[in-house]
Amino acid sequence: MAAFIPRAVFPTLDSLPRSYFLGHHRAGLQKMKSLLPATDLFLECRDYRVPLVSRNPLFEEHLAGKKRIIIYTKHDLGGIDETKSRRRILSKWEEPTPVVFSNNKPKDSRKLLQLIRRHAVSNDRLTGPRMMIIGMPNVGKSTLLNVLRQVGVGRGKVAKTGAQPGVTRGIGTSVKILEGKDESQQVYMLDTPGVFVPYVPDPESMLKLALCGSVKDTIISPVIIADYLLFRINLVDPYFYKHYSKPTNEITTLLDAMARKTGRLQKFAVPDMEAAALWMIQRWRNGQLGTFILDEVTKENLAAHEENWKNMEGSVNQARKGARDAQRQRMKEQQLNT
């Protein structure tokens, strides 16, 4: 029997939508900008599984000169980094901005709260420092805020969380996350809606963001996202789906097996491929189909990614144009298929 050979490349899908910059993203960004003068520190969350593409250049542009702490969330879902080389590269790249890698465990939260406390001690406001948590959609901002509040002041959940982006759609009221000797040392934080980039520079970056849940599952076909996931799993270890199928490069083969194994069937026992694809995607997001990073973290890749954003016109007008072009392309394909 011939050894399994995974696909070396994933096909380029130029017809994929490359924009997800919605109305509440724009409104949230404008509100953040209006609160800049009253905000002492920003906690910027990025998804550790996609540390490059979950970095939003809009924040670099609008928060220039403001103090920040960068938190790479979902660190436990990024696989083993035995030499800690990825963490060293990411931390070094952001110097002098502090970087924290978080699994939302008490140990990680205490480390982050220590950094926040240091900033609070140096604060000269009479009412205590005001902080804001920001990031792309569904990178774990609200979850982090809840954990910080639980560890910091021993109180329960205040921010709604969910598996899909868009749960937080507006900036709410300040939430206390640290007590102090007096009011000037009490720390309050604002939760904010996730802000997507106006335009994603390449199709694979959009697939990565969709796979990690920064884009609603209805925007791109779940079968396409599942196929990309299969491609990435095979590059790491096909063993991750051994309970459902032998190693395969065919997403229909795997989804058929998963649908039958999990009972996701339509009338006459026809496998529900879309339901199976959504189930497969969610399993990976929860760490049950392997844990691994999607971006290759090297100094060269970080520099190239940053240069790409500088050379790209990150405007809302470009986002709209990209969305219109993608829509026209999809309509052409539908017409050809009818």
Side-chain angles (χ1 to χ4, degrees), residues 14-84:
D14 290 326
S15 62
L16 280 181
R18 303 262 286 281
S19 175
Y20 188 63
F21 193 70
L22 305 179
H24 66 277
H25 296 166
R26 188 181 302 108
L29 183 63
Q30 292 301 318
K31 182 66 173 178
M32 287 178 213
K33 288 165 64 178
S34 72
L35 293 171
L36 278 177
T39 306
D40 304 290
L41 180 70
F42 290 87
L43 271 61
E44 182 185 345
C45 294
R46 301 174 186 172
D47 190 324
Y48 181 69
R49 297 167 297 178
V50 281
L52 277 65
V53 300
S54 64
R55 178 186 183 191
N56 193 330
L58 291 176
F59 299 143
E60 305 293 326
E61 177 185 345
H62 295 296
L63 305 182
K66 300 296 290 187
K67 291 183 178 179
R68 278 187 297 173
I69 298 174
I70 293 172
I71 302 110
Y72 286 98
T73 60
K74 309 180 186 182
H75 182 234
D76 53 325
L77 299 177
I80 298 172
D81 182 15
E82 291 179 350
T83 64
K84 299 183 180 178

Side-chain angles (χ1 to χ4, degrees), residues 24-36 39 42 131-134 168-174 189-195:
H24 66 277
H25 296 166
R26 188 181 302 108
L29 183 63
Q30 292 301 318
K31 182 66 173 178
M32 287 178 213
K33 288 165 64 178
S34 72
L35 293 171
L36 278 177
T39 306
F42 290 87
M131 304 183 181
M132 188 183 294
I133 191 164
I134 61 174
T168 305
R169 285 181 168 261
I171 296 177
T173 55
S174 295
M189 186 166 291
L190 283 170
D191 191 17
T192 64
V195 176

Side-chain angles (χ1 to χ4, degrees), residues 24-274:
H24 66 277
H25 296 166
R26 188 181 302 108
L29 183 63
Q30 292 301 318
K31 182 66 173 178
M32 287 178 213
K33 288 165 64 178
S34 72
L35 293 171
L36 278 177
T39 306
D40 304 290
L41 180 70
F42 290 87
L43 271 61
E44 182 185 345
C45 294
R46 301 174 186 172
D47 190 324
Y48 181 69
R49 297 167 297 178
V50 281
L52 277 65
V53 300
S54 64
R55 178 186 183 191
N56 193 330
L58 291 176
F59 299 143
E60 305 293 326
E61 177 185 345
H62 295 296
L63 305 182
K66 300 296 290 187
K67 291 183 178 179
R68 278 187 297 173
I69 298 174
I70 293 172
I71 302 110
Y72 286 98
T73 60
K74 309 180 186 182
H75 182 234
D76 53 325
L77 299 177
I80 298 172
D81 182 15
E82 291 179 350
T83 64
K84 299 183 180 178
S85 61
R86 289 198 295 260
R87 282 179 282 179
R88 280 200 301 270
I89 292 170
L90 291 169
S91 298
K92 185 74 174 175
W93 189 261
E94 300 297 342
E95 287 182 347
T97 301
V99 173
V100 175
F101 298 89
S102 175
N103 298 337
N104 283 331
K105 304 295 184 188
K107 180 181 177 182
D108 299 327
S109 300
R110 282 191 288 269
K111 180 180 178 181
L112 180 53
L113 286 168
Q114 286 173 0
L115 287 172
I116 293 171
R117 172 65 76 192
R118 276 183 226 150
H119 180 83
V121 169
S122 64
N123 172 65
D124 57 2
R125 284 181 185 268
L126 294 176
T127 56
R130 292 297 187 265
M131 304 183 181
M132 188 183 294
I133 191 164
I134 61 174
M136 292 271 277
N138 214 23
V139 294
K141 299 180 299 299
S142 298
T143 299
L144 179 62
L145 176 58
N146 288 331
V147 173
L148 290 177
R149 180 171 167 82
Q150 176 62 45
V151 175
V153 297
R155 296 184 184 177
K157 180 177 178 180
V158 290
K160 291 182 180 180
T161 60
Q164 291 289 294
V167 174
T168 305
R169 285 181 168 261
I171 296 177
T173 55
S174 295
V175 174
K176 186 190 291 186
I177 61 167
L178 275 175
E179 298 283 5
K181 293 179 181 179
D182 54 44
E183 192 175 350
S184 68
Q185 290 187 11
Q186 293 177 351
V187 179
Y188 292 83
M189 186 166 291
L190 283 170
D191 191 17
T192 64
V195 176
F196 203 77
V197 293
Y199 190 72
V200 179
D202 62 271
E204 186 170 10
S205 291
M206 191 69 175
L207 282 171
K208 290 177 182 178
L209 290 168
L211 177 55
C212 290
S214 285
V215 177
K216 278 192 175 179
D217 292 332
T218 54
I219 302 301
I220 297 174
S221 165
V223 176
I224 292 176
I225 301 172
D227 190 23
Y228 180 69
L229 173 56
L230 174 61
F231 164 70
R232 297 305 299 247
I233 289 176
N234 282 340
L235 293 177
V236 179
D237 190 352
Y239 174 86
F240 292 141
Y241 57 83
K242 69 170 187 175
H243 296 299
Y244 311 100
S245 170
K246 295 184 293 186
T248 180
N249 287 318
E250 299 297 328
I251 188 58
T252 53
T253 299
L254 180 58
L255 292 181
D256 184 285
M258 285 181 167
R260 295 182 188 281
K261 187 92 172 180
T262 62
R264 286 169 168 76
L265 304 173
Q266 298 174 317
K267 286 184 179 180
F268 309 112
V270 175
D272 189 332
M273 305 298 265
E274 186 166 304

